[in-house]
Amino acid sequence: MEELISHLLFIGRGIVLTLQLLSGGLLLGLVLGTILSILRYNGIAVGILNRIISICRGTPLILQLSFVYFAIPGFIGTKLDVSTAGIITFGLNSSAYIAEILRAGIESLPKGQFEAAKTLHIPSFHLWKDIILPQVIQHVLPAMINESIALLKETALIATIGGMDLMRKAQILGAEQFTYFMPLCIAGGYYYALVLFIETVGKKIETRGYYVKS
Amino acid sequence: MLRVNNISKKFGQIEVLHDISLTVEKKSIFGLAGPSGSGKSTFLRCIQKLESVDSGTIEYGGKAGFMFQDFQLFPHMTVLENVIYAPKLHDKTKDHTIRAFSILEDLGIVDKTKVYPNTLSGGQKQRVALARSLMMQPQLLLCDEPTSGLDVATTLDVVSLLESIRQRDVTMVIASHDLDFLTKVSDHIVILKGGEIISQVNPKTLKNPINYLKHYY
């Protein structure tokens, strides 16, 4: 029992980095994804944006992570720490998926909502902030929860550039103990607990929805 | 007053409006009749600048308000929020609530300020949409099919509602395929067909205006 607790604590220390990557990546993904989808809707740089989204979705995340961690410092002249490189990579990658989720949400709204705002002379910034995005987010919430869960599990790739997250800690413990099964199961338990937390929060937001869908 | 001079509008190869000119007097209610696809809605949308015209000019003083066929209320805002959102953006110094309550009271829906649009009936939604337009103090109000989906009693309410709006010095242009409603409410009716004005009539001068209008369908 004592051994199990010590294993739990050892692997559990990795949760800090996992949560940093999840929250940072998600926040960056949301901001960039929103900007991308609004720009595309307004027909700004559509070709380039579509290409960026396509590359982010179409190449392995492990490659993107290596590129940001090993290649970008060569361009900018400073080394990135593991968590920063992780947040940038996961944020960029997630923004591509979120941009597509939001596009579907925006296109599902009646065109009349944009026109009604136009007849009321509502400026573009307020149109998006107060009229369009609140409705879109309500519509795409289940897809956003999906994306958050996928992102959480993808953060495990940080181990490939030396990040000490849940999965890496489990691997280290496995190597020390010459058995991987128990440490990996413990890490799996942590991930599942986090997924349950995301699901619960998501359900709360969904059911609290400020208006009943007609 | 509204003056439309020789406007034409094409969607691709299809000419939806062809060389339309008309003048609408101040404070009058102007009806647009015509079969589906005759260009009524496009004409209104051109006046509101939701569509650009290919040629011709449209002139009116002051602001124009637009009533959509499906109302297009903002579903995530309460009735009161729907009504005061835009005025609040344009003038943050004023409290618009009192004026909003007064308009909602005139329209008979002051008890619905706190509810969301999806809990309202078609007639009530229309009144909210009307209140939202009136809050912008338009001199010209464009209504696209204001009675579509409404029952007979509610349609009669709309007639008196539009009459009361006229008292606010608002000029109105109403597109509708409901000839009974149009002849009751309008001072002047033009009939559009294939994007052209094919006839104009003052329904009050005719014995049986509906029959006269039906003639052109």
Side-chain angles (χ1 to χ4, degrees), chain A residues 82-93:
Chain A
V82 170
S83 67
T84 310
I87 288 172
I88 293 173
T89 310
F90 297 129
L92 283 174
N93 183 268

Side-chain angles (χ1 to χ4, degrees), chain A residues 169-190:
Chain A
K169 286 273 186 184
Q171 284 169 338
I172 289 170
L173 192 66
E176 277 175 9
Q177 306 272 321
F178 298 107
T179 171
Y180 282 91
F181 187 68
M182 179 60 87
L184 287 178
C185 282
I186 292 174
Y190 275 113

Side-chain angles (χ1 to χ4, degrees), chain A residues 156-178:
Chain A
L157 284 175
I158 200 72
T160 61
I161 57 166
M164 288 291 174
D165 73 327
L166 284 171
M167 199 52 112
R168 183 76 186 128
K169 286 273 186 184
Q171 284 169 338
I172 289 170
L173 192 66
E176 277 175 9
Q177 306 272 321
F178 298 107

Side-chain angles (χ1 to χ4, degrees), chain A residues 109-123 125-127 129-132 134-135 210-214, chain B residues 45 48-51 63-66 68 70-77 82 85-86 89-90 92 116 118 132-133 136:
Chain A
L109 286 189
K111 206 172 140 225
Q113 289 285 299
F114 290 88
E115 292 180 343
K118 192 178 175 192
T119 64
L120 296 167
H121 309 287
I122 295 171
F125 174 73
H126 293 277
L127 163 75
K129 179 172 83 70
D130 298 331
I131 311 288
I132 304 302
Q135 294 185 63
Y210 32 72
Y211 68 101
V212 188
K213 280 177 198 156
S214 43
Chain B
R45 292 169 63 82
Q48 179 65 63
K49 298 188 176 73
L50 290 174
E51 304 286 353
K63 280 184 254 174
F66 198 97
F68 291 85
D70 44 4
F71 320 120
Q72 294 298 342
L73 298 174
F74 303 131
H76 59 301
M77 294 183 180
N82 258 285
Y85 175 74
L89 270 187
H90 297 124
K92 289 185 181 73
Y116 287 96
N118 67 318
R132 188 172 71 173
S133 290
M136 303 300 286

